[in-house]
Amino acid sequence: MVSLNQLVAVCLMYVAGLFIVAFAAERAALRGQGGWLLRSPLVYTLSLSIYCTAWTFYGAVGYAARSGLEYVTIYLGPSLVMIGWWWGLRRLVRIGRSHRVTSIADLISSRYGKSNTLAIVVTVMAVIGVTPYIALQLQSVILSLSIFAAADVPLAEAGGDVINRGQAALWVAAGLTLFTVLFGTRNLNVNERHHGVVIAIAVEAVVKLLALVAVGIYVIWGLAGGLSETLARIDASDIGQWEVQGSRWAALTVLSGAALLCLPRMFQVMVVENDDERQLQIASWAFPLYMMLMSLFVVPIAVVGLDLMPEGANPDLFVLSLPLSQGQNGLAMLSFLGGFSSATSMVIVATLALSTMVSNHIVMPIWLAFRRDGATQSGDVRNIVILARRLSIFCVVGLGYLYYRASGGSGALAAIGTISFGGVAQFLPAMLGGVLWRGATRAGALCGLGTGFVLWVFTMLLPSFGADVALSSATLESGLWGLAWLRPEALFGIAGIDPTVHAVVWSLALNTLVFVVVSLFSFPAPLERLQGAQFVNVFDHSGPARGWTASVAGSEDLMIMAQRILGATEAQAFFAREAERQGHGQRLPEPTPRFVQALERELAASVGAATAHAMVAQIVGGASVSVQDLLAVADESAQMLEYSSQLETKSRELTETAAQLRAANEKLTQLSLQKDSFLSQISHELRTPMTSIRSFSEILRDAPDLTDADKNRYATIIHSETIRLTRLLDDLLDLSVLENGQVTLNQREGNLRDLLDLAVTTAQAGATRPLEVLRDPQAEDITLTSDLDRLVQVFINLVTNARKYCAADQPQLVISPQVTAQGLVIDFVDNGHGIDAGSEALIFEKFSRITGEGDGAGLGLAICREIMCRLGGEISFLGNVPGTAFRVQLPQSVLAPPARDTGPAVGPVVGADTRS
Amino acid sequence: MPRSPIFLEKRGYRQRRMMDAVRLLPFLGLMLWMVPLLWPVPEILPDATPEPTEPTIAMSVALRYLFGVWALLILATWALWRRTRDVASDGGADTKDGPR
């Protein structure tokens, strides 16, 4: 019999051996020796063997003893995935290498636009999914220990009934944590292989294979008596018939295949620790071979165990208890070490993978968010990252331990394993979709993952605790909230399916459906689209997703940051290499987009893509040109274009205003000139009569001896001059009133003939030389609505002018009104000699007198023009007719009846029939 | 695909067909391993009928079949690896000459 103490001693020696191997490997790698071994496909394949955990080592036999050949599906799926490496794994490995992916969460987040949300979701899901698995490993180690304890007769006699399971589990957990911390967090760069860990795992892989094969050979040839006897015994046993349900067979094969791709620890060894595709190619046949050997002896051991072991013995531990019961202590010890190896290697790698995810995607972003000053400032990021990773290792192992204590170490190993597989398999649609389909979006991935995860928790994880633990039996019986279609084991009312198949099919199917549908109907962000193109077309050597541009000053900052994350020597080596490649040896490399890109990937290998991106962005900062930045720049230039066009408009407006101002100024200057000339003219006009008035009044005053006739003559002159002055002043006032627009028009209705009659009569009154006025009474019969008094004033002026200035012997004036489309036109044409062409422009100006003769002040036509302007019409000089011709135009509106009755009508009110 | 020849000499042709085989092998494996879906499964009845109504597949047969397929697939993958390792591991060369 092996005593427990002996066992613990052997176990400790074994662990110490592993430590030594790991140390040796680390040192060899450091010295650059043994690279052929560390990078050999053999070690790669053996490290993949962490897929075969204690679940395989112990659980497979128990599984076979319970349900026949079903256990083999757990290895068939991965075998197919490995054999089909060309389709999926090759792509994943290439992406993992070219993007320096650190974990499955990093891969998914990186693919979907370096979304940290997605990384957090995947990390949390992975932790929840893998924790039971870690607990399972602890449980298997404790179970195997307790088998030895039970067989340890002296200990049992001494009253030490069984080992303290909780305490033992704690010790095992602590040991595993120590190992992982020691060898898993030595170097920060996850892409550099953890040589110590990998070698230790490879050794453990050999040990567990040897142990299982040894037990198998012993069972077949030692206990059953040969191959044919064993087969006969198998056929005769309880599990001697094929009785696997087809649905479970297919579902478990798919599930295990998915788990190989999605399990964080598998991703770690298969993708992250891979450094050559050749390794994968060899593993494509070597790893199925390993798995086949691991499962080859499972059925014989189970059958013989069922035969030989007493009723009620735990079939999960046949591998151990069978040799022990036969007194094969050495074999039992080897078997124990095999199981121990399986458990520890899994826990180490799983913890390493999970801690990388937790520290990169949860701890580091939080730390960065709290440190506003960024990575360049104080503090060594490298230490922080390593500390975060170590803490994460503690947390993950601690969670596993807590789960083990909480679950009480109950339940068949296989069940827990399947649940864990189901959880991580939810990553498959988002991962494969992201790698193979460019249309996959972040929203789709988030929704799909969420759906799958919720369904997995509801249909697989919670029911696994049994009724009334996590879910009440009422919920299990009649569905959530009493809704029959929400029964955890018969969703949508479809009952009668095996619970595992039910959960796997529903969660994966709905996960995929939601992922695809949301992806189809959502639109990815630019970075997401570029990353997607890079991932899907990873073999096309696509260009960098985006360019960074930084100033040369940025290089030093980048160097400082890189040193803090990569470590001084590594960073310097990296920078030197880049400088070499750029062609200037000593100095810092130019921060070309390609260099910054490479640096970001290098950093991503240590802290994850999203964090690295954020850190580089902090330094390169404003000068970084991401696609989003480019878009922002495009937006900005669009805004600038708009702004400049606005400016253009404004400047055009300003030019226009300036032109207007100039015009106004010119006008003002002209007006000022006009005013000056007006003033000089008016003073002249006023002075002439005033001079004569003063002279004659002085004569009257100073000459006492004047005759009455003279007095009378002088008084008459004074009188007439004052009249002239008065008239001049009246005219001026009139003009001023008209020009200021202060005139109020007195709209009345009247007949044109009456108006002309009045005008001619007034103008001819007192005339020495009569003017013959030729009129057309028929045409004059037009009813007008206007300020008739003002209109008559215009007519009087025109007739008077003709009378005064017509130089013909027989002066004649023809007045001819006519109605046109524009309104009323009245021409006044005399038979004089007309006006010089040069004077035409002046005749309407104030004080303009063409001939210099006459007694007018030269205001008449100016007043006429103002009046016509007020009446909405126009007065103009017609140059192309013989004699002097003026045309008075009145708008159409004067012909219409008055809009409102403003005054007494002159003449009969006639309608529109008077129009011609 | 710029300027890749449509027809290759025999060696290149062989290599391409080998890569085709590498791609198709997992589907063959899947089909073979899903054959057990067609095998009869004994009805698990509450009143366990003593006489077997139809012949079931014996465990030894199932074991031999499954592990036989397994060994066959491993052998085939190994053989294909021997024939194609220069092609497939040559970085992007595979995509250059392999129609996808």
Side-chain angles (χ1 to χ4, degrees):
Chain A
M1 271 294 131
V2 187
S3 77
L4 194 60
N5 290 337
Q6 266 178 302
L7 185 75
V8 171
V10 169
C11 202
L12 284 179
M13 275 168 61
Y14 175 69
V15 171
L18 282 183
F19 269 82
I20 290 168
V21 168
F23 263 122
E26 290 277 343
R27 287 180 64 96
L30 217 59
R31 277 193 253 108
Q33 296 173 344
W36 61 271
L37 179 68
L38 297 172
R39 287 191 179 76
S40 76
L42 178 72
V43 170
Y44 179 73
T45 307
L46 287 177
S47 70
L48 288 186
S49 74
I50 53 154
Y51 179 77
C52 304
T53 64
W55 182 29
T56 298
F57 197 84
Y58 297 121
V61 174
Y63 202 158
R66 290 189 192 93
S67 36
L69 263 178
E70 194 180 287
Y71 81 94
V72 89
T73 54
I74 302 301
Y75 312 99
L76 295 189
S79 291
L80 284 177
V81 172
M82 288 308 295
I83 292 168
W85 64 281
W86 181 272
W87 296 105
L89 281 176
R90 188 180 64 120
R91 208 164 259 278
L92 279 180
V93 165
R94 179 66 72 90
I95 290 170
R97 271 220 322 276
S98 64
H99 288 261
R100 316 296 306 266
V101 164
T102 59
S103 65
I104 184 165
D106 198 27
L107 177 92
I108 292 177
S109 110
S110 189
R111 160 63 179 84
Y112 297 104
K114 309 193 176 177
S115 149
N116 209 40
T117 319
L118 210 46
I120 290 172
V121 168
V122 173
T123 304
V124 169
M125 282 172 68
V127 169
I128 295 177
V130 174
T131 301
Y133 216 153
I134 293 177
L136 171 68
Q137 309 305 315
L138 293 178
Q139 181 188 342
S140 68
V141 173
I142 303 309
L143 270 180
S144 56
L145 269 177
S146 65
I147 286 279
F148 275 93
D152 190 349
V153 186
L155 199 67
E157 282 171 355
D161 145 46
V162 262
I163 54 164
N164 185 337
R165 292 185 178 200
Q167 216 169 14
L170 193 61
W171 278 109
V172 173
L176 289 175
T177 309
L178 182 70
F179 188 91
T180 315
V181 167
L182 269 183
F183 294 101
T185 58
R186 276 180 93 76
N187 49 7
L188 189 54
N189 191 332
V190 183
N191 276 129
E192 285 169 25
R193 301 181 67 179
H194 301 94
H195 296 292
V197 173
V198 168
I199 286 291
I201 287 169
V203 170
E204 291 191 307
V206 175
V207 170
K208 65 191 176 194
L209 182 65
L210 281 181
L212 201 61
V213 169
V215 173
I217 288 172
Y218 167 71
V219 163
I220 291 180
W221 283 279
L223 289 178
L227 194 58
S228 51
E229 284 83 356
T230 312
L231 285 177
R233 207 188 256 218
I234 287 171
D235 280 344
S237 71
D238 289 348
I239 56 170
Q241 279 184 341
W242 175 261
E243 50 190 16
V244 180
Q245 288 172 35
S247 61
R248 275 183 76 87
W249 182 262
L252 286 173
T253 306
V254 171
L255 186 63
S256 58
L260 181 82
L261 292 172
C262 297
L263 276 170
R265 68 172 196 275
M266 290 314 294
F267 193 88
Q268 175 82 27
V269 290
M270 203 155 55
V271 177
V272 179
E273 308 263 351
N274 174 288
D275 49 22
D276 191 353
E277 267 163 48
R278 224 159 299 203
Q279 295 175 335
L280 183 66
Q281 218 184 343
I282 291 173
S284 74
W285 56 265
F287 185 53
L289 180 66
Y290 185 93
M291 285 192 289
M292 190 186 81
L293 292 177
M294 285 296 281
S295 42
L296 193 56
F297 298 102
V298 167
V299 173
I301 295 171
V303 168
V304 173
L306 282 175
D307 269 359
L308 296 183
M309 295 302 288
E311 197 77 17
N314 187 352
D316 280 333
L317 293 174
F318 280 171
V319 182
L320 201 56
S321 52
L322 205 54
L324 208 57
S325 67
Q326 303 300 314
Q328 296 289 335
N329 287 339
L331 194 60
M333 191 80 88
L334 181 63
S335 166
F336 173 81
L337 285 183
F340 184 75
S341 299
S342 314
T344 50
S345 58
M346 180 272 165
V347 174
I348 288 167
V349 181
T351 310
L352 200 59
L354 284 181
S355 73
T356 306
M357 283 158 74
V358 170
S359 76
N360 280 358
H361 302 304
I362 295 178
V363 179
M364 283 308 289
I366 292 173
W367 182 80
L368 271 183
F370 274 107
R371 293 182 64 90
R372 284 267 148 250
D373 51 352
T376 46
Q377 304 300 311
S378 60
D380 192 342
V381 180
R382 194 175 154 79
N383 284 341
I384 298 286
V385 175
I386 288 188
L387 185 69
R389 207 162 283 172
R390 287 181 178 160
L391 282 179
S392 308
I393 290 173
F394 277 107
C395 289
V396 170
V397 178
L399 270 179
Y401 174 71
L402 283 180
Y403 186 94
Y404 167 72
R405 293 302 298 265
S407 68
S410 64
L413 299 181
I416 301 181
T418 318
I419 291 166
S420 191
F421 274 25
V424 294
Q426 303 306 325
F427 301 147
L428 190 72
M431 187 171 83
L432 277 194
V435 169
L436 299 172
W437 180 39
R438 281 182 61 178
T441 68
R442 179 172 162 270
L446 268 176
C447 294
L449 281 174
T451 308
F453 185 65
V454 167
L455 280 172
W456 169 72
V457 168
F458 186 61
T459 60
M460 215 168 181
L461 184 65
L462 296 184
S464 76
F465 294 113
D468 286 326
V469 178
L471 289 176
S472 67
S473 51
T475 305
L476 280 174
E477 283 301 311
S478 52
L480 196 61
W481 303 306
L483 297 171
W485 60 276
L486 278 182
R487 274 177 62 197
E489 297 189 338
L491 279 186
F492 308 109
I494 302 172
I497 316 175
D498 176 84
T500 307
V501 178
H502 172 268
V504 169
V505 168
W506 277 122
S507 61
L508 274 182
L510 289 182
N511 180 341
T512 312
L513 182 75
V514 170
F515 167 66
V516 170
V517 169
V518 175
S519 288
L520 286 178
F521 289 101
S522 58
F523 194 80
L527 188 57
E528 216 180 311
R529 296 175 75 181
L530 279 174
Q531 288 290 96
Q534 274 209 317
F535 272 53
V536 175
N537 304 328
V538 67
F539 293 109
D540 297 345
H541 303 288
S542 52
R546 50 155 216 291
W548 293 103
T549 53
S551 59
V552 183
S555 265
E556 286 175 26
D557 290 339
L558 287 173
M559 178 77 183
I560 293 166
M561 180 188 69
Q563 282 185 348
R564 294 211 162 107
I565 296 171
L566 304 172
T569 31
E570 285 90 341
Q572 279 158 13
F574 177 76
F575 274 65
R577 208 161 53 236
E578 287 294 321
E580 187 91 19
R581 202 175 48 72
Q582 288 184 2
H584 34 87
Q586 303 293 315
R587 290 179 291 127
L588 283 173
E590 296 282 337
T592 56
R594 192 178 157 191
F595 163 65
V596 183
Q597 180 87 19
L599 179 66
E600 191 196 325
R601 282 197 181 161
E602 196 69 28
L603 295 178
S606 293
V607 290
T611 310
H613 188 68
M615 288 173 120
V616 172
Q618 267 183 344
I619 289 187
V620 182
S624 84
V625 185
S626 68
V627 179
Q628 276 153 335
D629 294 341
L630 281 179
L631 284 186
V633 168
D635 277 354
E636 265 170 35
S637 21
Q639 279 173 359
M640 277 167 70
L641 271 181
E642 199 182 326
Y643 185 60
S644 81
S645 81
Q646 276 177 1
L647 274 182
E648 231 166 76
T649 315
K650 274 186 185 152
S651 101
R652 206 182 313 123
E653 279 171 9
L654 278 177
T655 317
E656 278 170 15
T657 314
Q660 283 172 355
L661 280 176
R662 227 179 349 256
N665 189 33
E666 232 162 76
K667 205 171 173 183
L668 279 176
T669 318
Q670 270 183 352
L671 280 176
S672 167
L673 285 176
Q674 268 183 10
K675 183 200 71 186
D676 289 349
S677 70
F678 175 76
L679 280 177
S680 71
Q681 271 173 341
I682 197 130
S683 43
H684 174 73
E685 293 293 329
L686 288 173
R687 241 186 70 177
T688 320
M690 285 306 279
T691 311
S692 69
I693 289 171
R694 203 183 67 195
S695 315
F696 286 105
S697 54
E698 277 172 0
I699 291 171
L700 284 177
R701 189 192 63 193
D702 296 339
D705 49 350
L706 281 178
T707 61
D708 281 353
D710 281 344
K711 277 185 187 171
N712 195 25
R713 195 160 59 91
Y714 295 156
T716 308
I717 291 173
I718 292 173
H719 180 250
S720 70
E721 287 298 315
T722 43
I723 285 175
R724 201 175 135 200
L725 267 179
T726 313
R727 202 169 60 231
L728 181 65
L729 290 174
D730 279 347
D731 280 356
L732 275 175
L733 270 177
D734 207 11
L735 192 62
S736 144
V737 164
L738 282 168
E739 279 186 340
N740 287 334
Q742 289 166 345
V743 64
T744 46
L745 294 179
N746 187 14
Q747 295 278 2
R748 280 189 301 147
E749 197 179 69
N751 195 290
L752 179 61
R753 195 193 302 150
D754 297 340
L755 301 180
L756 285 175
D757 283 349
L758 182 62
V760 171
T761 313
T762 312
Q764 299 278 43
T768 47
R769 202 174 62 137
L771 171 74
E772 192 185 355
V773 179
L774 301 176
R775 290 169 60 189
D776 181 3
Q778 222 45 45
E780 290 168 2
D781 188 10
I782 298 167
T783 307
L784 300 175
T785 307
S786 187
D787 189 332
L788 300 180
D789 294 341
R790 290 291 182 183
L791 200 54
V792 169
Q793 196 183 343
V794 173
F795 293 160
I796 291 171
N797 206 299
L798 287 173
V799 176
T800 312
N801 276 354
R803 182 174 58 76
K804 281 183 188 167
Y805 302 117
C806 184
D809 297 336
Q810 296 288 319
Q812 275 186 343
L813 177 67
V814 181
I815 302 175
S816 52
Q818 66 183 109
V819 175
T820 66
Q822 280 76 37
L824 179 61
V825 175
I826 309 157
D827 288 345
F828 295 78
V829 184
D830 67 11
N831 55 351
H833 51 68
I835 297 171
D836 297 338
S839 308
E840 279 173 16
L842 296 173
I843 54 175
F844 291 106
E845 293 302 321
K846 291 164 218 155
F847 304 107
S848 61
R849 271 170 303 193
I850 310 301
T851 51
E853 58 193 274
D855 59 346
L859 290 172
L861 281 176
I863 291 173
C864 286
R865 193 181 59 174
E866 285 302 320
I867 290 173
M868 289 315 295
C869 192
R870 295 291 152 221
L871 296 180
E874 195 184 347
I875 182 167
S876 54
F877 176 76
L878 300 177
N880 53 356
V881 287
T884 313
F886 286 95
R887 168 169 287 183
V888 173
Q889 279 178 301
L890 283 163
Q892 179 79 40
S893 56
V894 300
L895 297 172
R900 55 198 173 90
D901 221 354
T902 49
V906 173
V909 178
V910 278
D913 56 338
T914 52
R915 294 183 206 167
S916 55
Chain B
M1 260 190 207
R3 306 201 54 78
S4 67
I6 301 174
F7 302 106
L8 299 169
E9 83 285 18
K10 194 173 175 187
R11 209 177 100 84
Y13 181 87
R14 273 283 133 240
Q15 274 182 347
R16 279 198 181 186
R17 298 295 80 78
M18 288 303 109
M19 288 316 295
D20 287 348
V22 167
R23 289 183 203 117
L24 290 176
L25 197 61
F27 297 99
L28 175 72
L30 185 70
M31 275 159 56
L32 290 176
W33 270 334
M34 286 302 127
V35 164
L37 294 179
L38 306 173
W39 291 347
V41 176
E43 293 290 320
I44 301 153
L45 295 172
D47 53 337
T49 43
E51 73 273 20
T53 46
E54 51 182 328
T56 54
I57 303 290
M59 192 61 149
S60 57
V61 176
L63 268 178
R64 282 193 189 120
Y65 175 76
L66 287 174
F67 282 89
V69 169
W70 211 332
L72 186 94
L73 286 175
I74 290 165
L75 267 178
T77 319
W78 175 78
L80 283 172
W81 165 72
R82 293 292 302 268
R83 303 276 308 252
T84 62
R85 56 181 161 184
D86 302 327
V87 191
S89 60
D90 193 18
D94 39 36
T95 46
K96 227 185 289 165
D97 63 5
R100 285 294 313 270

